[in-house]
Each structure stands twice: as C-alpha cells, then as structure tokens.
Amino acid sequence: MNLKHILKMIKFHKFFALVIILQVTLSMSVVSNSFFLGLKVYKEWSLAEGIVPEELITISAKTYQPGANFQSLLTEDLDELSKIKGVKGVTPINLTPIAAGWPNTIYDSEGENKTSLQTHIFNVDSNGLNVLGLKLIEGRNFNSIDVKYSDGSEQPNVVMLSEAMAEELFSDSDAIGKTIWLAEDSSPVEVIGIYSNFISSQFLAAKGMPYRSILQPKVVWHRENAQSYIIRVEPGTAGSVKNAISDHYAQIVGRTGGRPDSLADVKWQVFFERVGTFLMYMTISALLLIITFCGLIGLINFIVSTRKGQIATRRALGAKVSRIIWEFITENMVITVVGILFGLLFTVVISSMFREFNGLVAADLIYALVVAVVICLLNAIAVTISVRKTVKRQPSELLI
C-alpha cells in the first residue's frame, strides 16, 4: 500500500482519524509527563544526602511557662539532651536539613550589579558542623566567640559555605576571606570555612540545587516560644533516644518536646506527598492507556465494518490475511505517529509550565520515545484484534 492510498483512506475516514489522533495525543502527553514526574522524584530521592539521616534526630521544644527565661531553657535543653544515652552531640538549629522551607536570597555584592542566589541559611552553634557530620574542607570551624546568642538582634559577621555554594559564588577564586550579603541592605559577612555538601531542602532539590546551604553561628531563643535542635546519635540508637526525649519533656511542667523524628523519617515525609502524586498520575495514565486501547478497538471495528466490500474484493483477488492486516496497521500507524508528534509537543509545553518538571533535559526525552513505542504497540494490537476476525471470513460472508 503506497502513501497516497493511505492518505486517501485517512481522508475518507477523517473524523475517526481525528478522534484517534486526539486519543493518542492525550495519552502521550499525560503518560510521558507522569513518567517524568516519577523519574524526577526518584532522582531526588536517590541523591546522596551528605549526612546520615538515620543518626540525626530533630526535635522542637516548646514552653508554656509564663515569664520563662528562654536563654536559660536553651542551656538546660542542651545539657539534658546531651546526657541521654546514645547521644553524641546536640546543636540548636533553625531549619531542618532535607526539609527546610522557603529559601533565603543572598547577594554576592552591593549595588546595582549584585547577583542574587537562593540558598538556605542554617543557624547553629559551634557544634553544628560536627553534629551534622559534615567535613571541613577548607578554612576553619566556628568557635565560641563567633556564635551570637540573642533574641535575633545581634548578627554574626562570619559564615561557612557548602562546597556547592562556594562553587556557585566564587567558581574562579578561593572563597575563604571573601564577603557575601545574607540579605539586601545588610552588613557583609566573611566566609571562614567550606564544608561538605548536604541536601538542604526538597524545594532546592527540585530546582536542581540540592546542596546549596550556609551555616551561620547564630542561636536565637524565644522563637515563637520554641527552640529546635538536631541531635546526633550512635548508630542503631535512634528509636531508644526518641523515646527518652519524649519521656524527658513529658516530666517537665509547661514544656513539650513535640514528636522527635529521625531525618530518615523527615525525608520520607517530605517525599510522601510527591510519591503519592506520582502514583496518582501513573494510575490515571494506566487507565487512560486502557481507555485509549479500548477506544481504538471500537473505532477500528467501525472502520472495518464500513470497508467489508473492499476487504472481500481483496480476499477474492488472493490477498493474504496477514497482508490486509498489515495494511490496516500501516494506515493506523500513520495516524498514530501524528498523534505522537502532537503528544511530544504537549509534553515539552507542559513540562516547561509546571515547576514539578523543571530540570527536564533533552536526554530525558528518550523516555518519551519509550512511551511512544508502547502506544504504537497498543495500536498495532488493537488493529490486529479488530481486523483479524473480519478478514479471516470468506469473501461471500463479508458481502452479506
């Protein structure tokens, strides 16, 4: 069958051809983007954390004591938590690694030509680097003089950068001794150290910047009557330490420790919603493929019923069953390819519109081609099922 004849047949059944194209386009775009979402979630889940989530516990200690001395409570918390069996170290912290919220905007200079970058600023004390289990790559760690304990009014003048953050800010030179600005119109702070990367938040991971972070030697108390801590524990002791923390705060009138969580639990909680969204999309995709397959069978059955005379003539002239089936497959494959091309176009458009799909690269389109092959196979199977039964009948039976 030549292309001219195929196009003639498509033109004769243009309404059904259009319906098939729409079905394939919708299936291609939805299934491809669902696959991209799952692939992106998997890639982010598989990123090296840079820390050991199973050995880090986060806790937010709240107080309801009227007139409480928050600085004193902070000191007591650090002392009591460090005494719990299995605890290796404790540091106050303002954000939870892996699950930090909306990022901070920092600047590399002052004036109109300054460049802004997104990152997370983690406030810790001089134990922060060791508690998180990070490696000092260059420069020095914070000391007790660097750390500013206050209600937020006193600001430190030094920071440490993650290796990825330093590379982003000072790719062509040494970062140690350089200055950055942690907020617009703020005073500059000096970079005194570079530490190994760790995932700061799912938000930045989704944007392809998982390891951007800054450590600042700052401890602020009286933050909505609560203080958050990161606790490093011995391997395999996270469960018992969490129970001990809960028991500790349960015995103090006017205090509560919330629910201690290991960062492994936090990571799962962060990704749970996105994994659920992915599973929902994949379920919809599977149903859509089934509907598309059934729809193709129904449409092709109708087209075949209108062409019984043509099929009978071909059979009477000696055409083989396999030859006629292949002609129908070829005809419908042309229609399917048109739908796939539109589907690829919509895939790219949708992926650029939604933040979830940011970071889609040309190499990932190979997976869209896999989806295209699956749709082509479904089309071929649908055509074979629809045509085979009719074509195998005797020509005389087809003309009745």
Side-chain angles (χ1 to χ4, degrees):
M1 180 181 289
N2 57 42
L3 181 61
K4 183 178 180 181
H5 182 71
I6 291 174
L7 295 176
K8 182 179 178 180
M9 289 296 100
I10 292 174
K11 184 178 179 181
F12 183 76
H13 296 288
K14 54 181 175 290
F15 173 77
F16 298 102
L18 180 60
V19 172
I20 292 173
I21 289 172
L22 289 175
Q23 280 189 323
V24 172
T25 298
L26 181 61
S27 297
M28 183 70 192
S29 58
V30 172
V31 176
S32 295
N33 279 298
S34 297
F35 195 91
F36 289 143
L37 174 60
L39 181 66
K40 189 168 180 59
V41 171
Y42 173 76
K43 285 181 177 179
E44 292 165 20
W45 177 268
S46 302
L47 285 171
E49 296 95 346
I51 51 179
V52 184
E54 295 79 11
E55 296 178 11
L56 293 171
I57 294 173
T58 178
I59 179 70
S60 180
K62 299 182 180 180
T63 181
Y64 304 97
Q65 300 172 0
N69 184 325
F70 293 99
Q71 184 175 10
S72 176
L73 290 176
L74 171 69
T75 302
E76 291 176 12
D77 281 341
L78 292 174
D79 182 54
E80 293 299 323
L81 291 173
S82 63
K83 292 179 181 178
I84 295 175
K85 184 178 179 180
V87 172
K88 297 174 66 176
V90 186
T91 183
I93 199 165
N94 63 319
L95 302 172
T96 303
I98 300 176
W102 194 258
N104 304 93
T105 301
I106 65 163
Y107 302 88
D108 63 352
S109 63
E110 292 182 297
E112 296 181 357
N113 296 324
K114 63 178 178 289
T115 300
S116 63
L117 296 93
Q118 288 188 315
T119 186
H120 287 289
I121 302 174
F122 292 84
N123 297 336
V124 296
D125 63 11
S126 56
N127 296 316
L129 194 72
N130 294 328
V131 170
L132 289 171
L134 302 173
K135 179 183 178 182
L136 183 64
I137 296 174
E138 188 179 353
R140 69 173 180 86
N141 193 2
F142 300 138
N143 56 42
S144 57
I145 298 175
D146 295 323
V147 183
K148 302 301 180 185
Y149 295 86
S150 70
D151 59 0
S153 59
E154 193 172 358
Q155 301 296 324
N157 56 13
V158 296
V159 293
M160 288 195 290
L161 307 179
S162 67
E163 192 173 12
M165 193 77 247
E167 175 67 22
E168 190 68 31
L169 283 164
F170 309 106
S171 58
D172 58 347
S173 61
D174 187 6
I176 303 300
K178 298 293 178 59
T179 55
I180 60 173
W181 284 255
L182 301 184
E184 202 166 14
D185 300 324
S186 65
S187 299
V189 292
E190 180 186 355
V191 178
I192 63 168
I194 308 297
Y195 56 87
S196 55
N197 292 326
F198 72 93
I199 295 179
S200 58
S201 75
Q202 174 267 331
F203 180 90
L204 289 184
K207 299 184 72 173
M209 303 177 289
Y211 300 120
R212 285 190 183 182
S213 66
I214 295 176
L215 294 185
Q216 185 179 30
K218 177 180 177 182
V219 178
V220 178
W221 58 78
H222 198 183
R223 185 186 296 276
E224 297 180 353
N225 293 351
Q227 179 63 56
S228 296
Y229 303 97
I230 288 288
I231 303 167
R232 186 170 190 80
V233 302
E234 297 282 354
T237 64
S240 60
V241 172
K242 286 193 290 185
N243 291 334
I245 292 171
S246 297
D247 293 341
H248 167 70
Y249 284 106
Q251 297 171 13
I252 306 175
V253 177
R255 300 293 306 281
T256 176
R259 188 184 74 174
D261 279 319
S262 73
L263 289 193
D265 296 331
V266 170
K267 181 179 179 180
W268 172 249
Q269 292 163 12
V270 165
F271 280 90
F272 181 78
E273 181 179 350
R274 300 187 66 210
V275 170
T277 302
F278 161 64
L279 292 176
M280 179 188 71
Y281 277 125
M282 291 308 295
T283 301
I284 293 173
S285 297
L287 291 174
L288 186 58
L289 285 175
I290 292 172
I291 292 171
T292 299
F293 180 69
C294 295
L296 285 171
I297 290 178
L299 287 171
I300 296 168
N301 273 333
F302 183 82
I303 293 172
V304 170
S305 69
T306 65
R307 293 166 63 177
K308 286 183 178 180
Q310 175 191 339
I311 294 172
T313 302
R314 296 293 311 283
R315 287 295 314 281
L317 293 174
K320 294 182 178 180
V321 171
S322 59
R323 175 65 179 175
I324 297 174
I325 292 175
W326 179 250
E327 289 174 356
F328 272 92
I329 290 175
T330 304
E331 181 181 318
N332 282 274
M333 200 61 69
V334 172
I335 300 172
T336 301
V337 169
V338 174
I340 286 172
L341 292 176
F342 278 111
L344 283 173
L345 176 62
F346 280 110
T347 296
V348 174
V349 170
I350 292 173
S351 68
S352 64
M353 288 174 59
F354 294 96
R355 190 187 70 194
E356 285 286 358
F357 302 108
N358 283 350
L360 177 66
V361 296
D364 290 333
L365 291 178
I366 189 66
Y367 298 104
L369 297 180
V370 173
V371 176
V373 170
V374 170
I375 291 176
C376 287
L377 288 175
L378 290 177
N379 177 275
I381 294 171
V383 172
T384 302
I385 291 173
S386 300
V387 178
R388 188 177 184 83
K389 183 178 180 180
T390 300
V391 176
K392 291 185 71 174
R393 296 168 63 187
Q394 296 298 320
S396 59
E397 295 177 4
L398 294 173
L399 296 175
I400 296 176

